Amino acid sequence: MNLRDRWRSTSENILIPIGAVLASLVVFGIFCAVQGKNPIAIYGTIYQSAFGNSFSWQGTLIRAAPLMLTSLCTALPAMLGLTIIGNEGALIVGGLGAIAMGLALSSLPPIMVQIAMAMAGLIAGGLWIMFVGAIKYYRGVNETISSLLMNYIAIAVLNTLVEGPMRDPSSLNKPSSFPLAAVNMLQSIPNSRVHYGLIYGLVACAIAYFLIHRTTFGFAVRTVGGNIRAAKIAGLPVGKLTLIVTFLGGSCAGLAGMVEIAAIHGSANASLNADYGYSGILVAFIARQNPLVAVLVAVLMGGILASGSALQRSFGLPDATVLLFQGIVFLAILFSESLYGRLDFFKDREPEVKIDASATVV
Amino acid sequence: MTDDTLGWMSVPLAIVAGTFRGSAPFLFVSLGECLTEKAGKINLGLEGTLLTGAMTAYAVSYLTKSPWLGVLAAGLAGVGLGLIHAWLSQRPRVSDVAVGIAMIIFGSGIAFFFGKAFIQPKAIPLPVFELGNWSSYPQVQDALKISPLLLIGIVIAPVMQWFFSSTRWGLYVRAVGDSPSAARAMGISVVGVRTGAIVAGSFLAGIGGASLSLYYPGLWSERISSGQGLMAVALVIFARWQPIHCLWAALLFGGAQAIGPSLQAVGISSYRYLFNAAPYIMTLIITIATCSPRRTLSGSPGALGTNE
């Protein structure tokens, strides 16, 4: 690929998503105008409350942290050609594992508790999604559907545990588990209200990118994703790769559960089921399964989520406005997927035509 | 009469009542998903369609004082969302699973945005058939208040079965779902048939939403669908892509949903969430048991889950 082609493909990768976001801004703007609200003012508020100052940036980053982690639960298995949507379930069991560990070991030094909680989250979430990978490989069960079903099973397990065996009798209106000791909570980064979960998310995305794009393991995984039959002929251990990659994906979502429990909620309860899992799926798709791009998309999405209450306060719009905005942005970006490689603007014309002509003569 | 006079009989009775009350949305949304999947596409967005249908039905019934107009409007709202899904999911290199998830967000956004104004007012619910008047027990009378939508759904299931097995258009849908390239060779418009199937499926799901807000629980709130639209995907596998089995499966899922609350009514409250999860666990176990690594599920449309 020469420099010019590379420039074209890079500009395509940048301009198409930007175009999609602009298109969705126009559509949502028209919608707001029809509702009698000034779209420019609304966008100003969204921007202000998401990225306007350091306080709003912090709120955005707090929401972006779990999204980075849950998006990997879809992005990593996608390298193998698997469409996993069990992120929510993996997040919940990861959170449950973490709180169980945090409560059981509460007498140890905080750093040990932290590590044990993170490990418990990783392992619980990892095994949860590895089960999906296992039944896909050994029984041929569709991974999209089995992981979807397992989300509901995880929610039921969460509700059963926090209302039964794990319940703190003093939590009356909202059944919760016993709370974590304050010293064992995930601390904030100095001089901010952003917790260290953000670092977990950034590191996980960086590792995932390195693993997939810079190692032999990643190459093997991408080969299986590209053509499973060729991979088998080449002697790649498809089953083993499936188990490892689904475990890694699930463990990231499980870690997101640990982060939410240890940094935000402090105990397990129904709030753990806050749709970060489902949003993570979209982050992964929008980032086109690239873990580094997922970081950016997660921040953008965290910003949109963070602006919800401001829209309600300033414009008297329902808080669902943000949901609607999110939906429009996603649909526009998904549509833009189909434009890659099809717009004349990004095509290199002269050399290709000549090669085609000589090929037909031969 | 109180629960005491019926004693333990109140549990099976409550389950029967719950089955009749709770099955209609499952039935409609699973028939809609069945039609969509037969054509080879998955529509996870039916959860959003169910919510939009429920909100539209409630709003229109409240504003026009006619619940049946509400039902129609819910179906039409479903058609609107279905058109978006059909168009987007058939673009090259766009995953129907991703579109479905985006449509859940978009559909619930629409429903919650416009539904905010309708949480308080009381819409006119659908009339019911009271089939239990022969009994002197109020519980029995309550249990046999049947929604007309459930009856309509019970009629649609065998009709759809017949449609797939014995009509030309049914054959087109199956051909498109099993092998798009073969269908194209037969001169069938794959895009046209799929669009039709997705839109019609969405229409049914919208009506499923109407049965939530206009019959049971008979109000509009943001928590009303609680995942029933997504569950339809599981239900269709459970039913092996046979509309008539969708009927049995919807009754089973509706009944399973009632087990938890009815046990709670006689004082058994622990583990009710696990009872609620019973249908999912059951579906998962059955899927694992009946799949094999060499072939996909029997009855599964060939092009399902591929991006063909």
Side-chain angles (χ1 to χ4, degrees):
Chain A
M1 203 188 266
N2 62 33
L3 197 65
R4 191 158 148 199
D5 287 345
R6 185 164 296 180
W7 161 243
R8 278 215 166 74
S9 104
T10 310
S11 61
E12 187 178 39
N13 281 332
I14 294 170
L15 289 179
I16 288 186
I18 290 177
V21 171
L22 285 180
S24 52
L25 289 180
V26 171
V27 171
F28 182 69
I30 293 172
F31 176 83
C32 292
V34 170
Q35 300 295 316
K37 313 279 177 184
N38 178 358
I40 308 291
I42 286 178
Y43 288 134
T45 306
I46 292 180
Y47 175 77
Q48 274 303 321
S49 49
F51 309 109
N53 52 48
S54 81
F55 186 81
S56 50
W57 262 103
Q58 290 171 23
T60 296
L61 291 177
I62 287 174
R63 287 171 178 82
L67 291 174
M68 291 174 197
L69 289 167
T70 52
S71 75
L72 293 176
C73 185
T74 298
L76 288 176
M79 294 293 150
L80 281 171
L82 301 179
T83 310
I84 300 252
I85 57 176
N87 320 31
E88 191 80 20
L91 181 148
I92 288 171
V93 294
L96 282 174
I99 187 87
M101 195 58 90
L103 294 175
L105 302 179
S106 56
S107 52
L108 289 180
I111 181 72
M112 302 288 283
V113 179
Q114 289 287 332
I115 294 172
M117 284 175 73
M119 292 308 289
L122 284 168
I123 291 169
L127 291 178
W128 192 255
I129 298 298
M130 191 171 83
F131 176 72
V132 173
I135 59 177
K136 165 74 178 183
Y137 183 72
Y138 294 107
R139 304 289 311 172
V141 178
N142 180 307
E143 74 283 0
T144 310
I145 284 154
S146 61
S147 59
L148 174 68
L149 291 172
M150 286 180 60
N151 283 341
Y152 289 99
I153 298 172
I155 295 169
V157 170
L158 169 71
N159 286 327
T160 307
L161 286 179
V162 299
E163 287 214 357
M166 288 180 84
R167 178 166 185 177
D168 175 2
S170 66
S171 61
L172 294 175
N173 291 329
K174 187 172 193 181
S176 301
S177 71
F178 287 95
L180 273 183
V183 287
N184 291 334
M185 295 277 290
L186 203 52
Q187 305 302 316
S188 292
I189 297 169
N191 300 323
S192 76
R193 58 191 181 112
V194 182
H195 53 72
Y196 279 106
L198 179 65
I199 309 290
Y200 288 18
L202 292 172
V203 169
C205 284
I207 293 176
Y209 179 82
F210 181 78
L211 195 66
I212 293 297
H213 293 277
R214 293 281 183 273
T215 63
T216 1
F217 172 79
F219 182 69
V221 168
R222 283 182 289 142
T223 311
V224 175
N227 186 339
I228 193 162
R229 204 171 294 160
K232 275 183 179 156
I233 291 168
L236 288 173
V238 177
K240 212 177 183 180
L241 288 174
T242 306
L243 294 185
I244 295 174
V245 171
T246 44
F247 180 87
L248 291 177
S251 62
C252 291
L255 188 59
M258 178 270 179
V259 164
E260 284 301 289
I261 288 276
I264 309 282
H265 303 300
S267 65
N269 57 44
S271 319
L272 192 54
N273 177 17
D275 288 352
Y276 278 125
Y278 286 106
S279 307
I281 302 167
L282 276 164
V283 171
F285 272 106
I286 288 170
R288 307 179 85 210
Q289 329 293 1
N290 183 327
L292 292 187
V293 182
V295 171
L296 291 177
V297 178
V299 171
L300 188 71
M301 174 110 159
I304 297 180
L305 292 177
S307 60
S309 51
L311 282 185
Q312 203 178 358
R313 275 195 311 272
S314 324
F315 294 93
L317 285 165
D319 48 0
T321 313
V322 168
L323 204 60
L324 194 60
F325 181 47
Q326 231 182 325
I328 293 173
V329 173
F330 288 146
L331 290 173
I333 292 181
L334 287 172
F335 167 72
S336 74
E337 283 279 287
S338 65
L339 299 179
Y340 287 93
R342 300 176 79 226
L343 295 182
D344 285 342
F345 181 66
F346 298 111
K347 275 189 188 153
D348 203 357
R349 285 191 206 89
E350 316 101 69
E352 276 178 26
V353 174
K354 274 179 192 153
I355 290 162
D356 279 350
S358 62
T360 36
V361 171
V362 172
Chain B
M1 296 286 168
T2 62
D3 275 344
D4 297 337
T5 48
L6 281 167
W8 274 92
M9 270 309 287
S10 67
V11 175
L13 188 63
I15 293 173
V16 170
T19 307
F20 286 137
R21 280 198 205 113
S23 301
F26 282 124
L27 180 55
F28 276 96
V29 84
S30 67
L31 286 174
E33 187 68 43
C34 184
L35 183 57
T36 307
E37 290 193 17
K38 273 281 190 191
K41 285 280 169 190
I42 295 181
N43 187 354
L44 290 179
L46 289 189
E47 174 76 15
T49 313
L50 201 64
L51 279 167
T52 308
M55 184 278 296
T56 312
Y58 200 76
V60 171
S61 166
Y62 172 73
L63 295 172
T64 66
K65 312 272 178 255
S66 160
W68 287 107
L69 267 182
V71 172
L72 182 68
L76 293 178
V79 167
L81 293 179
L83 280 171
I84 302 178
H85 184 85
W87 178 66
L88 266 179
S89 68
Q90 296 189 78
R91 307 282 312 165
R93 288 194 294 162
V94 177
S95 148
D96 44 359
V97 172
V99 175
I101 301 212
M103 287 300 289
I104 296 176
I105 296 183
F106 181 71
S108 31
I110 295 259
F112 299 166
F113 186 93
F114 292 105
K116 197 85 187 170
F118 298 101
I119 290 178
Q120 275 302 326
K122 191 84 195 86
I124 298 172
L126 283 166
V128 291
F129 293 108
E130 305 208 2
L131 303 180
N133 288 340
W134 47 269
S135 168
S136 55
Y137 289 104
Q139 289 97 328
V140 175
Q141 294 174 1
D142 259 7
L144 294 177
K145 281 182 182 157
I146 309 282
S147 155
L149 284 179
L150 180 64
L151 298 180
I152 293 174
I154 290 174
V155 173
I156 293 178
V159 169
M160 195 187 280
Q161 187 85 22
W162 169 81
F163 168 80
F164 283 137
S165 62
S166 315
T167 67
R168 174 186 295 257
W169 281 97
L171 176 69
Y172 287 173
V173 172
R174 284 189 295 140
V176 162
D178 269 331
S179 170
S181 46
R184 228 171 263 123
M186 283 162 67
I188 302 172
S189 156
V190 174
V191 173
V193 171
R194 280 187 170 162
T195 305
I198 293 171
V199 169
S202 242
F203 178 82
L204 289 176
I207 291 184
S211 79
L212 276 174
S213 62
L214 294 182
Y215 172 63
Y216 182 77
L219 49 85
W220 160 247
S221 82
E222 298 191 350
R223 284 250 157 236
I224 198 168
S225 79
S226 60
Q228 292 185 23
L230 279 169
M231 198 156 171
V233 180
L235 220 145
V236 173
I237 309 165
F238 197 71
R240 287 292 147 75
W241 294 272
Q242 301 283 325
I244 201 79
H245 292 175
C246 283
L247 174 57
W248 314 134
L251 291 172
L252 191 68
F253 277 42
Q257 222 184 16
I259 295 176
S262 61
L263 284 178
Q264 206 181 6
V266 293
I268 303 174
S269 68
S270 49
Y271 302 112
R272 67 195 157 102
Y273 288 105
L274 286 186
F275 277 111
N276 290 348
Y280 307 107
I281 298 171
M282 216 154 56
T283 311
L284 190 63
I285 291 173
I286 290 175
T287 325
I288 295 171
T290 54
C291 274
S292 92
R294 265 165 259 302
R295 60 182 174 81
T296 47
L297 277 173
S298 60
S300 164
L304 198 65
T306 66
N307 220 344
E308 215 180 327

